[in-house]
Amino acid sequence: MEKKESFEKAVLKIALPVTIQSLLQSSFSVVDQVMIGQLGSNSIAGIGLGGKFASLYSVVLAAIASAAGIMISQYMGRKDEKSVSKSFYINMLLSIGLAAVFMILCIIFPEIIMSAYTKDVITKTLAVKYIRILAISFLPMAISSILTMMLRCMEVAILPLYASIFALVLNTGLNYLLIFGKWIFPEMGVEGAALASVAAQIISCVIILLFFIIYNNKHEIKLNITHYLKRISTEQKTADSGQYGRQYLKILCPLLICEFLWSLGENVYTAIYGNIGTEACAAMTMTIPVLTIVIGALSGLSQASAILIGKSLGAKKYEQAYAESKKLMKYGLFASIILSLMLAATASFYVKIYNVEPVVQEITKRLLMVIAIISPVKVLNMILGGGIIRSGGKTKYTMWIDIIGTWGLGVPLGLLAAFVWKLPIEYVYFILSMEECVRLGISLIIFKKKTWMESIR
């Protein structure tokens, strides 16, 4: 009984702050879209399309952070301080490099990028303005992401939460001032929403960095970058360093391929919605905050799964890892069903907060019902594929699962449903979402075979 209570406490210690932080971060887009929603469907669609390309960056960054989390949690499980430090600094440098590449693309070539999403000139113009400013936030996002992952592995996930709370308050206030031109500020519309998000990300990064510096000095594993770089410069290549590099690439490369192709698939979905029509695109954009909140509400379980199961695997406690994994999946299924019922009950009220045409509100309502049906499957995939199976370092499994789901089923079904069968957008979304069921089936087979359970070297 004591072990069970200890496990439950550890889950809550990580999952609860991560969940709250995820919801607060998701609320960035909610606040943006609700306020921009007062300006009409074109503005909503513009932010949605601009944000969708930015999600490409977000998911690749998440892949790097995920690789860092897998390795750091396992190394912490076996008290390997040297490997913890190496994983942290390598992933930080990769994240910063990634941010630089996406910033250049979004600042210099936004018109070309947005042309792939929509033919509507007004919507494209607004999306270009939004993404060009939002790109500035990519660097602080990169730094915050790796610092946050390290703090979560240290089991102090509450600290990044404080930064998110402050950032949310700032984002909300600046949105109001800059979007509508209140007080002494100019009315900037979608550009104001982007600028508010940039400011919030910068402040959040600074706060998380300060927390990290303070807590790192108190933690048993101290990361000293000056000492680490000096050691690297004088260290000769050994079999161990070569093995570490191979292990790292073995984990990271499938994650990068997986997340990039998955996000690219999501962008194809967005292009499908955008080409169905502006009303359909606006309706789909209005559902994004809701879907993000539903998934974000249980993202803490996914993070807790990756970290706690990873530590058990690092310590070679395989049966314990398997038993704990089953508990986490049960928690996720129960909670996701409750959230789906709540979503179905509140869908009619949600659509009324947007100042859009009645037809857009009705389409959005139907889409929300589809989301309520499919959400439990999405949540289980997030916990099982995004947390448990990855924790053993066998990221190639999740890579193939996502490729089969998105590109083998989702994209072809979406194209058929939209442009061959010419179905309404809610049916298109439901049909392409069937790939989630296929993913879950494959993931459960892999889980039961236990081939994913491995202590990385």
Side-chain angles (χ1 to χ4, degrees), residues 180-191:
F180 305 113
K182 302 297 181 178
W183 196 31
I184 61 173
F185 295 91
E187 183 177 342
M188 300 178 67
V190 297
E191 293 173 290

Side-chain angles (χ1 to χ4, degrees), residues 17-140:
V18 171
T19 293
I20 297 173
Q21 185 180 3
S22 178
L23 290 172
L24 289 173
Q25 289 174 339
S26 300
S27 68
F28 279 11
S29 63
V30 175
V31 171
D32 284 355
Q33 292 188 38
V34 169
M35 291 190 180
I36 286 293
Q38 310 307 310
L39 304 180
S41 298
N42 286 114
S43 294
I44 295 176
I47 278 190
L49 296 179
K52 182 56 69 173
F53 181 76
S55 72
L56 276 173
Y57 165 73
S58 298
V59 297
V60 178
L61 177 62
I64 297 175
S66 182
I70 290 168
M71 302 191 81
I72 289 171
S73 62
Q74 285 223 13
Y75 292 140
M76 281 188 167
R78 65 169 181 254
K79 313 297 182 184
D80 186 348
E81 181 175 343
K82 177 181 176 181
S83 295
V84 169
S85 298
K86 186 181 291 187
S87 296
F88 174 80
Y89 291 118
I90 286 175
N91 283 285
M92 178 63 78
L93 290 174
L94 274 176
S95 299
I96 292 173
L98 176 72
V101 171
F102 272 83
M103 282 177 64
I104 291 170
L105 289 175
C106 291
I107 292 173
I108 299 178
F109 307 110
E111 293 87 357
I112 297 174
I113 294 169
M114 288 300 109
S115 294
Y117 289 88
T118 182
K119 298 175 183 177
D120 188 300
V121 176
I122 297 176
T123 299
K124 184 177 74 172
T125 300
L126 292 170
V128 166
K129 291 180 179 179
Y130 182 76
I131 192 67
R132 182 171 273 149
I133 296 175
L134 188 67
I136 301 171
S137 70
F138 292 169
L139 181 58

